[in-house]
Amino acid sequence: MSEEAVFTVQNLIKTYPGQTKAIDGVSFSLHPGECVGLIGESGSGKSTLARCILMMEKLNSGQMWFQGRELLQPRFGSSYRVFEGQVQAVFQNPASSLNPRLRIIDSVMEPLDNLKNRTPVIVQDCRKNRLKCAERLLDMVELPSDLLNQYPHELSGGQKQRVAIARAISSEPSLIIMDEPTSSLDMITQAQIIEMLMKLQKNIGFACLFISHDLATIQRMSDQIMVIQQGRVIDHFAKEALFSSERHAYTQSLVHKYAKRRS
Ligand code: ADP
Ligand code: MG
């Protein structure tokens, strides 16, 4: 791809005390608007990688660049702060991204409220009207605006995850890390949210690292697929090559399992 990468990581290593490496030399790039799917079994290091990338955990070693600038590990917090909401995350459990004491409007608007030097195009025409902005964002995730005054516990799991997504897109990020964003939901809600995410990604143009243990979801969502096993990316290919015979034996076994489940 000729366009410059929006995000690059090189040789990331993370070891927990008394363990073998949870992340063992992971390198990849994400280009603008591209979705890379990361698949691997439970315990393979997917969430650890997500947390390290988001600087919620400290790496042992490795380098990361966002928009061409190297991210240095600060002593406290995250060096994404200078990028003002350009990197966002959606996690499996929407409760972890929604404060139970905040009304939906305040959860959704928080990243936008904190923007000082940037006005996202998606809310450009209503930036001065907070309620209108929030209604726009809820509409983008296909939720009715009467949820805005409610609290997270009053919403269904699917609604909460849509709110978490509205919050993530509110600052118009160029990168979203999604760690199993639909895995806690029933099959029908999962499918609806994946379709919605694809539409949002096309319209807003964010790049995405999409993590799942489910091949069908990864295949639907991603342009490229990375397979992780014991902290190592053992296979990385364009989605179209999923069924090609040159795949790593472990990838083959995933594809085999997937084909069996579908038949
Ligand atoms: P996945 O998300 O693919 O299921 P994880 O990233 O959660 O996998 O876990 C990868 C490995 O790191 C596992 O062996 C897990 O037990 C270990 N691990 C994850 N988080 C911690 C932690 N906070 N402390 C110690 N070990 C951890
Ligand atoms: Mg996980």
Side-chain angles (χ1 to χ4, degrees):
M1 224 177 282
S2 56
E3 214 172 350
E4 201 185 318
V6 63
F7 184 65
T8 299
V9 305
Q10 203 169 5
N11 207 14
L12 302 187
I13 294 184
K14 170 73 185 176
T15 312
Y16 290 112
Q19 261 194 341
T20 51
K21 290 171 185 151
I23 298 298
D24 190 3
V26 169
S27 305
F28 66 90
S29 284
L30 280 163
H31 290 86
E34 179 184 46
C35 182
V36 171
L38 177 71
I39 186 165
E41 66 200 334
S42 174
S44 55
K46 305 183 296 297
S47 296
T48 304
L49 180 62
R51 288 195 304 272
C52 287
I53 285 175
L54 290 163
M55 295 189 152
M56 296 160 69
E57 280 196 53
K58 223 170 140 72
L59 286 159
N60 292 74
S61 62
Q63 283 176 288
M64 307 202 279
W65 293 265
F66 181 69
Q67 293 180 343
R69 284 165 72 177
E70 184 167 3
L71 299 167
L72 301 172
Q73 196 90 42
R75 197 189 288 243
F76 301 106
S78 145
S79 53
Y80 289 117
R81 209 160 291 165
V82 297
F83 295 105
E84 282 225 299
Q86 295 244 37
V87 179
Q88 294 288 2
V90 179
F91 297 101
Q92 175 169 358
N93 179 0
S96 61
S97 31
L98 300 181
N99 182 334
R101 287 185 292 273
L102 288 186
R103 288 181 198 275
I104 299 305
I105 184 168
D106 297 319
S107 277
V108 165
M109 289 298 288
E110 195 181 27
L112 194 51
D113 290 339
N114 289 331
L115 287 190
K116 290 189 184 66
N117 302 308
R118 211 157 61 76
T119 298
V121 176
I122 49 174
V123 293
Q124 204 158 33
D125 57 325
C126 56
R127 184 72 168 103
K128 295 210 168 68
N129 184 332
R130 194 167 182 268
L131 179 62
K132 232 173 147 182
C133 271
E135 284 173 355
R136 162 80 49 83
L137 289 163
L138 241 55
D139 188 52
M140 289 179 78
V141 295
E142 299 159 9
L143 286 177
S145 57
D146 53 8
L147 296 186
L148 283 173
N149 280 319
Q150 302 195 348
Y151 289 92
H153 75 264
E154 300 175 90
L155 273 56
S156 72
Q159 287 175 323
K160 272 188 276 205
Q161 201 55 303
R162 285 174 191 268
V163 170
I165 293 165
R167 179 184 155 87
I169 60 169
S170 70
S171 57
E172 209 168 65
S174 25
L175 171 64
I176 306 186
I177 309 294
M178 302 194 197
D179 186 2
E180 310 254 13
T182 61
S183 301
S184 65
L185 308 170
D186 65 77
M187 294 299 278
I188 291 171
T189 312
Q190 276 195 33
Q192 288 168 343
I193 290 188
I194 294 297
E195 294 311 307
M196 183 189 80
L197 281 174
M198 290 173 66
K199 216 169 8 167
L200 289 173
Q201 200 203 356
K202 194 159 155 242
N203 292 342
I204 301 172
F206 53 83
C208 174
L209 177 67
F210 186 90
I211 298 174
S212 176
H213 63 273
D214 181 58
L215 193 55
T217 310
I218 288 274
Q219 195 196 10
R220 185 88 188 99
M221 189 72 199
S222 322
D223 307 302
Q224 303 219 14
I225 299 177
M226 292 194 297
V227 183
I228 186 169
Q229 191 182 32
Q230 294 175 351
R232 284 176 168 271
V233 172
I234 55 165
D235 212 348
H236 186 168
F237 49 90
K239 172 171 66 179
E240 295 72 34
L242 180 62
F243 299 104
S244 86
S245 55
E246 294 108 76
R247 298 274 63 85
H248 187 281
Y250 177 68
T251 311
Q252 299 267 20
S253 74
L254 285 178
V255 172
H256 183 67
K257 243 194 285 183
Y258 167 55
K260 235 175 36 196
R261 211 182 51 199
R262 283 212 304 180
S263 63

